[in-house]
Amino acid sequence: MMDEFKATIGGELDRWQQAGKVAQFWLRDDDAVEPTAPLDRLLDLSAAFSVPLTLAVVPAHTGEPLADRLRREPLCSVAVHGWSHRNYAGPDEKKQELGRHRPAADVLGELKDGFDRLAELHGERFVPMLVPPWNRIDTALLQQLAGLGYQALSVYGPETPAALPLINAHVDVMDWHGTRGGRDPLALAGEIAARLRFMFDHGGTMGLLTHHLVHDEAVWDFMSVLFKVTADHPACRWTPVADILRTQQVSDG
């Protein structure tokens, strides 16, 4: 797998290097609540390659144990993953917590509570970014997020114009609609290379999405190989999400 990754992703990064460009990658992992063995494995793996990690934490179900664990992880930041990760959509709808199924005031109140809770628990590690559960949020709520303190939004897929800066994930390691394990590593490498080709001409970042609580060995193997190929490449920089946000704010200003 290493040779194929070098040919697919490394080859594209070589093109970036020849052009004097550096591609920004970032790592987002969803559904963190408390210290677990899979979380330890994720933290250890990312730290081994000096890859900054953003944990999307569910505020209603987390507390001091996670905050205490992360104090030993200088490369880890925390974003708001909704409030309780509860689905309010009907049986024939896609799952959604932040939709039109409840009064907007109730949803926004929870998002404010989640912001305040994680900011208090995690201090400087906290990033004022909302990661909606299931990557879905009613567009009518977006205009209200800045008033709650949010400075960015992260969903899945290509960025589109929005009320807040978007820092999206673009490649998901999980096969949610099939095996519910890791996706084919060469298919993932191909998607990353395609994203890099887009970025070469249009800018942006390459966001990798993981879910540590449900990883199988295929995912861990994929991440290890990806980090080996990219972490030391001169045309790749794994970037803290706070740095990406600051860059966006400067360019927008």
Side-chain angles (χ1 to χ4, degrees), residues 49-168:
F49 292 94
S50 298
V51 171
L53 166 66
T54 300
L55 289 178
V57 176
V58 183
H61 305 308
T62 196
E64 187 60 37
L66 179 64
D68 183 62
R69 173 66 182 86
L70 296 184
R71 290 188 183 100
R72 309 195 300 273
E73 303 295 338
L75 294 178
C76 184
S77 59
V78 166
V80 183
H81 201 29
W83 169 247
S84 63
H85 211 297
R86 178 179 175 184
N87 175 37
Y88 290 94
D92 297 326
E93 299 176 280
K94 293 182 177 180
K95 292 181 178 180
Q96 193 170 13
E97 179 179 38
L98 310 179
R100 301 185 181 185
H101 310 89
R102 299 179 293 154
D106 294 349
V107 179
L108 293 169
E110 289 182 350
L111 290 178
K112 177 59 174 172
D113 290 344
F115 184 105
D116 293 344
R117 180 169 176 76
L118 295 189
E120 180 179 2
L121 280 168
H122 295 281
E124 294 183 355
R125 186 170 291 104
F126 175 72
V127 177
M129 182 173 75
L130 175 63
V131 180
W134 298 287
N135 292 293
R136 301 185 186 107
I137 183 170
D138 178 21
T139 56
L141 299 173
L142 297 181
Q143 297 288 343
Q144 309 299 319
L145 294 179
L148 305 180
Y150 290 98
Q151 297 178 22
L153 178 72
S154 181
V155 290
Y156 183 79
E159 287 82 358
T160 56
L164 285 178
L166 280 175
I167 308 174
N168 283 0

Side-chain angles (χ1 to χ4, degrees), residues 3 12-13 17 22 31 34 37 43 55 77 85 93 111 113 147 168 178-179 193 197 205 218 222-223 244 248 252-253:
D3 290 341
E12 186 60 33
L13 288 173
Q17 184 180 5
V22 177
D31 302 342
E34 60 186 356
L43 291 166
L55 289 178
S77 59
H85 211 297
E93 299 176 280
L111 290 178
D113 290 344
N168 283 0
T179 65
R197 288 191 291 272
T205 62
F222 164 79
M223 294 178 69
I244 298 173
Q248 289 198 5
D252 291 344

